Amino acid sequence: MKVAIKIPIFNAASTILETLSSILNQTHQDFIIYVYDNASTDNSIKIIQSLDDNRILIVTSEKN
């Protein structure tokens, strides 16, 4: 059973790596993670992209 996980973020550079790592290390691996970025101005997106996992999809907003 595929699970969809949705995470809204705004300037989450200090916590997003720990959050996503926790999800990626779960025993159930049939999931997709949607990260909804609300126009972050920090390195949140770069941190997420550094994980290079095709189960993570980033949806960005240009305006907060």
Side-chain angles (χ1 to χ4, degrees):
M1 168 177 54
K2 185 161 239 151
V3 175
I5 301 163
K6 299 178 181 184
I7 304 171
I9 65 166
F10 176 72
N11 290 345
S14 66
T15 59
I16 195 63
L17 183 59
E18 182 179 0
T19 300
L20 292 174
S21 294
S22 177
I23 296 167
L24 294 170
N25 289 320
Q26 296 297 310
T27 56
H28 184 81
Q29 291 290 301
D30 191 15
F31 57 79
I32 188 162
I33 303 169
Y34 295 95
V35 178
Y36 295 92
D37 177 60
N38 195 12
S40 291
T41 56
D42 63 0
N43 290 326
S44 297
I45 298 298
K46 288 183 181 182
I47 292 168
I48 297 165
Q49 291 171 333
S50 75
L51 292 172
D52 195 29
D53 192 306
N54 62 358
R55 296 172 294 177
I56 301 172
L57 298 176
I58 305 168
V59 180
T60 59
S61 176
E62 293 181 18
K63 183 178 177 186
N64 184 300

